[in-house]
Amino acid sequence: MKKFAFLFVLAVSIISCKNETKADDASSDSKTTVTDKESTLKTIEGEFLFVDGAGVIMGKNFIYGVSLNDVTEELIKQAASKQRDKFDMVPVVIRGEINPKPQGTDSWDEIVTIKEIIKVLEPKGEAPIKIETGK
């Protein structure tokens, strides 16, 4: 009788462990999906400039074109309020998705779609030098 009770408890324990493992695997799959989605977003720190309908973010080792969306429109407004002139690059920290340029377009090799604005800072250094030509 003791052997039967021991085997019964052992069997129940094994079965309940398997169910917990499946539940843990299912929850980790949903976490993986969220993590995969977030892993496509990169934090990018660089200088932003938007002139004549085209935007660019430039860092030490990269230059990305910027796709237009609602978040980009907000970044344009925030950066414009910090610019000293039209061609002043504004330091920004954003989160976005980097993709290759669309086929058949003449633009930067990689395009960033901005998903979140983290910081917009004041431009560093001296104001750009303006050169005026006389007539």
Side-chain angles (χ1 to χ4, degrees), residues 84-89 123-131:
R84 296 172 287 204
D85 76 8
K86 182 179 177 179
F87 298 104
D88 204 6
M89 296 191 82
K124 299 175 184 173
E126 297 179 18
I129 299 172
K130 292 183 181 179
I131 300 174

Side-chain angles (χ1 to χ4, degrees), residues 28-41:
S28 69
D29 286 345
S30 65
K31 289 178 185 175
T32 302
T33 304
V34 171
T35 305
D36 288 345
K37 198 179 252 185
E38 291 176 359
S39 70
T40 61
L41 297 181

Side-chain angles (χ1 to χ4, degrees), residues 16-32:
S16 66
C17 287
K18 285 184 180 179
N19 288 340
E20 288 177 9
T21 303
K22 288 180 183 177
D24 290 344
D25 289 345
S27 66
S28 69
D29 286 345
S30 65
K31 289 178 185 175
T32 302

Side-chain angles (χ1 to χ4, degrees), residues 36-106:
D36 288 345
K37 198 179 252 185
E38 291 176 359
S39 70
T40 61
L41 297 181
K42 291 182 76 174
T43 301
I44 301 167
E45 190 170 336
E47 293 184 311
F48 175 75
L49 178 63
F50 188 84
V51 177
D52 297 331
V56 67
I57 292 181
M58 181 176 75
K60 291 180 182 177
N61 301 320
F62 65 85
I63 297 177
Y64 299 132
V66 177
S67 67
L68 290 177
N69 62 20
D70 292 340
V71 181
T72 305
E73 295 290 336
E74 180 60 31
L75 180 60
I76 292 167
K77 291 175 189 172
Q78 290 182 27
S81 70
K82 306 227 184 242
Q83 285 179 313
R84 296 172 287 204
D85 76 8
K86 182 179 177 179
F87 298 104
D88 204 6
M89 296 191 82
V90 177
V92 297
V93 180
I94 56 109
R95 285 185 50 81
E97 184 176 19
I98 301 168
N99 295 304
K101 72 178 179 181
Q103 293 288 339
T105 61
D106 291 330

